[in-house]
Amino acid sequence: MTGNHQSLALLLFSAFVAVTLGITTWVSRNRHGSAEEFYAGGRLFSPMENGFAIAGDYMSAASFLGISGLIALFGYDGLLYSVGFLVAWLVVLFLVAELVRNCGRFTLADVVAARMRERPVRIAAGTSSVTVSVLYLVAQMVGAGSLVALLLGRTSEAAQAWTVIGVGTLMIVYVSLGGMRATTWIQIVKAVLLLGGTVALTVLVLVRFHGDFDRLLLTAADRSGHGAAFLAPGLKYGGDWTARFDFMSLGLALVLGTAGLPHILSRFYTVPTARAARRSVVWSIGLIGGFYLMTIVLGFGAAAIVGPDAVRASNAAGNTAVPLLALDLGGGADSTGGTVLFAVVAAIAFATILAVVAGITLASSASVAHDLYASLRRRHGTPRSEVTVARTAAVGIGVAAIALGLLARDLNVAFLVGLAFAVAASANLPVLLYSLFWRGFTTRGAVWAVYGGLVPALVLVALSPVVSGSPESLFPGVDFQYFPLQNPGLVSIPLGFLAGWLGTVTSAEEPDEAKHAETEVRSLTGAGAV
């Protein structure tokens, strides 16, 4: 990229950082000492504000960069991510949003611990939440590294490393100083910027093809080198039975994983009532649905205008397809329009990464402080000491995410998020649904459900082609690949549900009927909700 691209993109990104740091500083001076303020922003956000914030939390670098890149490289098969990410919200809307808002205070563990022995349940749920959050953070870090490599016109490892470190440092500042209130406003600003940028690019792509979507698809197929196969299932996931099972595994993880993501669940506590939580989800579905429809246009547009070969040459995983598309739509590498459009898209993508990592870091630090720290101490700390622990935890989680992000920099960000979704669906969703709907569920069942999904998911990923045994692996020089699928969801999600059932039926503990009745009434009516 030319110096103009770099300078303008960095200037726009610096402006976003300045605005968000200003928001964080302003919020840090206003009512941030209590746990409710730090974790839930005082529960004062409206459904529309929270809906935009949820959309901002969910529309990550994986969506903006990764999905468009996968569609550009693999055509129809890349659509699975768009469809899966969107359909998942129906599970959240009908099974989770209102019930979680009524039953909990700040974290997933609050819902489960309402009718179980608190200590073992909180330790299990807190461990799982932190694991999912760190996996999700790694994807955002990889996206940041890919962007800076493109921005600087070279794949300098030092440049990528410093970018990842910079993003990690900023997210620690946002969370430790501003808490949920600052994070929410950053998400809202980012959601507006991202939707505006995506709409502009989509319009430009459609204008390039005179509004003829068929012509866009046919041009993309012609340039792909695969012909009609580019527009049909099977290019990435249909080669053999292993690929087909991988397709099913990924689809299952995407559809079920959203309802178990800690940073999404924590957003339902920022509104005053369960009705507001449900309306927040309706707002977010509208925004997210429109966004994912546009990523389809951008993905095929990148294939038709830039070409899969150029996308792959820039970044093997396809993470830079959208910035390259913007460059071309604006008039090319040496044009003023191309420079401006590329810089705007790069800055929006950076903003996207920063905002999402702030939300995830806040959710995971809340799990550390509110669940793990409070459970492992003999005496529960005061709310203020718990908030102090959460701020400290944000630093540790940020450092871990930076280290893993540097290790995984060559993997597609949408694919990495698919792994986080698989772990969330395997470990968090079974215990959440059993706690809300199974009268006979016990503490042992809850703990087994979490670990019975979490451990197999992580072990299967470690033994999969993601980690070793292929040129695209994290460790291509070694081979301890014993599990053929790249996504463990097809195996680990049923294991999580099975472990929860097995732990319950083998438990000597009698389920507390009174607590279940209280939880049921609270979840359905909101009576007694915090």
Side-chain angles (χ1 to χ4, degrees):
M1 295 301 118
T2 66
N4 289 337
H5 294 82
Q6 295 175 33
S7 302
L8 188 55
L10 291 173
L11 180 65
L12 292 172
F13 179 59
S14 300
F16 176 81
V17 170
V19 170
T20 52
L21 285 175
I23 292 171
T24 304
T25 305
W26 174 71
V27 168
S28 67
R29 295 175 179 171
N30 294 277
R31 299 179 299 168
H32 68 284
S34 69
E36 184 169 301
E37 179 68 29
F38 185 80
Y39 295 142
R43 310 189 203 281
L44 298 174
F45 291 100
S46 70
M48 185 181 77
E49 290 168 345
N50 198 42
F52 268 88
I54 290 172
D57 236 340
Y58 198 69
M59 297 183 304
S60 65
S63 303
F64 189 52
L65 302 177
I67 293 177
S68 300
L70 283 173
I71 294 173
L73 297 181
F74 301 105
Y76 183 94
D77 279 8
L79 289 175
L80 174 66
Y81 285 89
S82 289
V83 174
F85 281 142
L86 181 56
V87 170
W89 280 95
L90 297 178
V91 178
V92 177
L93 179 63
F94 292 118
L95 292 180
V96 172
E98 287 186 85
L99 307 185
V100 165
R101 173 62 188 85
N102 282 334
C103 289
R105 289 185 67 215
F106 305 125
T107 65
L108 164 70
D110 289 337
V111 180
V112 184
R115 47 179 293 219
M116 311 290 174
R117 294 202 312 276
E118 280 205 32
R119 194 169 184 269
V121 167
R122 284 194 180 278
I123 291 173
T127 301
S128 172
S129 294
V130 172
T131 304
V132 172
S133 298
V134 169
L135 278 173
Y136 211 114
L137 279 172
V138 169
Q140 311 308 316
M141 297 299 188
V142 171
S146 298
L147 262 178
V148 79
L150 179 67
L151 187 62
L152 298 177
R154 58 185 184 273
T155 54
S156 163
E157 291 190 7
Q160 291 190 45
W162 281 111
T163 302
V164 169
I165 291 167
V167 170
T169 303
L170 281 169
M171 79 183 183
I172 291 168
V173 171
Y174 290 148
V175 172
S176 57
L177 288 182
M180 179 59 86
R181 193 183 293 270
T183 300
T184 300
W185 282 111
I186 291 168
Q187 300 287 14
I188 292 170
V189 172
K190 167 254 170 148
V192 172
L193 286 175
L194 181 59
L195 287 167
T198 309
V199 168
L201 286 179
T202 302
V203 169
L204 288 174
V205 170
L206 293 175
V207 167
R208 176 73 67 92
F209 290 91
H210 307 290
D212 189 342
F213 193 66
D214 283 348
R215 187 177 158 209
L216 166 63
L217 295 179
L218 292 173
T219 307
D222 288 341
R223 292 205 63 180
S224 70
H226 298 286
F230 191 71
L231 304 179
L235 197 59
K236 181 174 173 62
Y237 293 109
D240 53 26
W241 277 106
T242 301
R244 293 174 190 176
F245 279 122
D246 228 342
F247 179 89
M248 289 187 281
S249 187
L250 176 63
L252 197 62
L254 295 182
V255 170
L256 298 179
T258 300
L261 291 175
H263 65 291
I264 296 298
L265 293 175
S266 66
R267 293 234 58 91
F268 300 135
Y269 300 124
T270 63
V271 289
T273 64
R275 183 169 180 266
R278 189 179 184 87
R279 288 173 60 199
S280 298
V281 175
V282 173
W283 269 100
S284 63
I285 286 176
L287 296 169
I288 292 166
F291 172 76
Y292 281 122
L293 286 174
M294 289 186 286
T295 61
I296 296 171
V297 177
L298 297 185
F300 284 113
I305 296 170
V306 179
D309 291 339
V311 171
R312 198 175 277 109
S314 171
N315 180 271
N319 294 331
T320 54
V322 172
L324 289 174
L325 174 65
L327 193 62
D328 201 297
L329 289 171
D334 298 323
S335 67
T336 303
T339 300
V340 171
L341 202 55
F342 173 87
V344 168
V345 168
I348 288 173
F350 270 126
T352 294
I353 291 166
L354 269 183
V356 172
V357 296
I360 301 166
T361 306
L362 179 61
S364 51
S365 62
S367 292
V368 170
H370 187 62
D371 299 328
L372 298 177
Y373 168 75
S375 300
L376 293 173
R377 278 188 55 139
R378 292 189 177 182
R379 294 182 298 105
H380 286 272
T382 64
R384 188 172 295 277
S385 69
E386 196 177 286
V387 170
T388 303
V389 171
R391 292 194 174 106
T392 306
V395 178
I397 289 161
V399 171
I402 289 168
L404 290 170
L406 294 174
L407 183 66
R409 60 177 171 266
D410 293 326
L411 296 179
N412 182 278
V413 287
F415 166 74
L416 284 169
V417 166
L419 294 183
F421 273 63
V423 177
S426 304
N428 292 347
L429 187 64
V431 72
L432 181 61
L433 294 184
Y434 278 151
S435 298
L436 290 172
F437 299 110
W438 188 6
R439 183 180 298 275
F441 198 43
T442 63
T443 302
R444 177 192 280 185
V447 173
W448 281 27
V450 174
Y451 292 128
L454 178 65
V455 174
L458 295 178
V459 169
L460 292 176
V461 168
L463 300 178
S464 75
V466 176
V467 176
S468 71
S470 72
E472 297 82 23
S473 302
L474 286 178
F475 305 106
V478 294
D479 187 359
F480 44 89
Q481 174 197 332
Y482 299 104
F483 181 66
L485 305 184
Q486 293 190 332
N487 192 293
L490 194 63
V491 176
S492 58
I493 295 171
L495 283 178
F497 282 98
L498 178 62
W501 173 81
L502 195 60
T504 297
V505 298
T506 59
S507 173
E509 175 190 357
E510 286 293 324
D512 192 325
E513 294 284 340
K515 279 190 177 179
H516 174 266
E518 179 185 339
T519 302
E520 188 173 41
V521 170
R522 178 185 294 181
S523 67
L524 295 175
T525 67
V530 177

